[in-house]
Amino acid sequence: MNLQTGIVIIDYGMGNLRSVQKKFERLHRQVCISSDIRVIAKADKLVLPGVGHFANGVRKLKESGIWDVMNHKVLVEKTPILGICLGMQLMARHSEEGDVEGLGWFDAEVVRFRIENERRYKVPHMGWNTARVTKESPIFNDIPEDTLFYFVHSYYVACKEKRDVLAMTRYECSFASAIVKDNIYGTQFHPEKSHDWGAVLIENFIGI
């Protein structure tokens, strides 16, 4: 791997990774998409995107061998990682979607929206919504409070540790739309689809 930045977008067969790659490239950062565990093992930073079913994501990560390599990179080598949408959810301990265990990096449960006012709130939660930052973090540097980001999801991460919550979003109920623990970052929203402020967040991650 010959990369200036050493950023690898993990390909485990869940979602359109090209849009994430394009966002990095617009910031003049060289990245690669890879499912090769040898490439992932050499990365300076990792991005774990994803759209789809939680249990399928877990299965694909384990079958490919990426699961174990990623755990070593993140927990032992302390490699910075950004999880996006399903990628963030996979960092939780458990999900209702498929009733399976996740990576367990966060003491959290992935739960489905339980909507009371179905005329006003639809599932999936889709479109633009605000992310209210709850504590300081370099990943939100220079991003105004209550900035709009783009969401598409039917499940959300319910953190048991408040200190892990980086931003909250309201959609009938309030949920964690960004989380952080040491070198581990996650966004429920899609920064790659969130125009200028999404680009700022990605550039902040690059600079961590």
Side-chain angles (χ1 to χ4, degrees):
M1 181 175 62
N2 182 20
L3 297 175
Q4 292 178 346
T5 58
I7 300 171
V8 175
I9 300 169
I10 297 171
D11 180 5
Y12 58 112
M14 299 292 290
N16 178 16
L17 310 184
R18 181 62 182 144
S19 60
V20 180
Q21 184 183 38
K22 284 182 177 179
K23 197 73 170 184
F24 276 87
E25 289 174 346
R26 288 193 194 103
L27 297 169
H28 307 291
R29 296 299 193 275
Q30 190 179 4
V31 298
C32 76
I33 296 172
S34 184
S35 59
D36 188 332
I37 58 175
R38 295 168 299 179
V39 173
I40 294 168
K42 294 179 181 178
D44 295 325
K45 289 187 175 69
L46 295 169
V47 182
L48 183 67
V51 176
H53 197 279
F54 188 100
N56 287 342
V58 170
R59 177 178 58 81
K60 287 175 179 288
L61 285 169
K62 289 184 175 180
E63 288 177 352
S64 63
I66 294 172
W67 182 275
D68 291 336
V69 172
M70 195 167 56
N71 265 313
H72 181 81
K73 288 289 290 179
V74 172
L75 301 181
V76 179
E77 296 184 16
K78 301 298 182 182
T79 302
I81 186 169
L82 173 63
I84 299 172
C85 197
L86 176 61
M88 166 175 151
Q89 293 178 3
L90 288 165
M91 297 172 172
R93 192 175 301 282
H94 178 267
S95 177
E96 290 182 348
E97 189 178 29
D99 188 23
V100 293
E101 301 300 309
L103 288 158
W105 297 344
F106 291 88
D107 188 6
E109 176 90 3
V110 179
V111 297
R112 185 174 173 83
F113 281 110
R114 291 171 174 82
I115 300 298
E116 294 183 6
N117 186 351
E118 295 181 354
R119 296 183 64 181
R120 182 175 179 183
Y121 298 99
K122 305 298 181 183
V123 178
H125 170 216
M126 182 182 299
W128 297 91
N129 206 339
T130 56
R132 180 177 57 83
V133 178
T134 58
K135 67 177 185 178
E136 290 186 6
S137 171
I139 204 168
F140 273 97
N141 281 351
D142 301 319
I143 296 177
E145 191 166 344
D146 293 330
T147 293
L148 290 167
F149 293 98
Y150 189 79
F151 292 81
V152 183
H153 62 120
S154 299
Y155 291 77
Y156 64 91
V157 173
C159 286
K160 296 183 180 179
E161 295 285 347
K162 289 185 178 180
R163 62 187 175 185
D164 295 339
V165 177
L166 183 52
M168 296 290 293
T169 294
R170 180 78 183 175
Y171 192 66
E172 191 174 71
C173 68
S174 293
F175 64 91
S177 51
I179 56 178
V180 62
K181 180 187 288 184
D182 301 324
N183 54 304
I184 308 170
Y185 300 85
T187 63
Q188 184 61 67
F189 54 82
H190 290 264
E192 77 280 9
K193 297 180 180 179
S194 298
H195 303 323
D196 291 345
W197 294 120
V200 172
L201 187 143
I202 286 174
E203 192 149 34
N204 287 340
F205 174 70
I206 293 169
I208 289 172

